[in-house]
Amino acid sequence: EMLRNFEYSKIIEVDQEKGPITSLEMALDHAQENSIIRLKQGVYTCDKPITKPGITIEQRDKDTKVIIIGNTGPVINVKLFKG
């Protein structure tokens, strides 16, 4: 079976203005395996690679716009290692 049910370990909301988590990088620092990171409307950059499996990044509100841009190199860099 291709689909598996995951239990998410943590939901982290990113709000660039009100915090307490104000950036995608900060959210990745707080994330555990299988965490959901929800981004409030805005433009985000992310130089930090994703190193934990099962991370989901999504917009918090379906009727708002979230943009992730890359300064240099890939927009999102994933580095997972067998452990």
Side-chain angles (χ1 to χ4, degrees), residues 19-71:
I21 307 295
T22 56
S23 69
L24 185 49
E25 286 92 346
M26 189 183 292
L28 289 170
D29 286 340
H30 286 84
Q32 303 167 354
E33 287 186 13
N34 300 321
S35 290
I36 297 174
I37 297 174
R38 292 191 175 147
L39 304 175
K40 188 175 176 193
Q41 179 175 342
V43 177
Y44 295 84
T45 60
C46 186
D47 292 327
K48 179 183 288 284
I50 297 172
T51 57
K52 299 164 190 160
I55 300 290
T56 300
I57 300 172
E58 62 187 25
Q59 67 194 59
R60 188 185 79 176
D61 305 306
K62 66 179 181 173
D63 59 340
T64 61
K65 188 179 280 189
V66 171
I67 301 170
I68 301 174
I69 59 173
N71 293 332

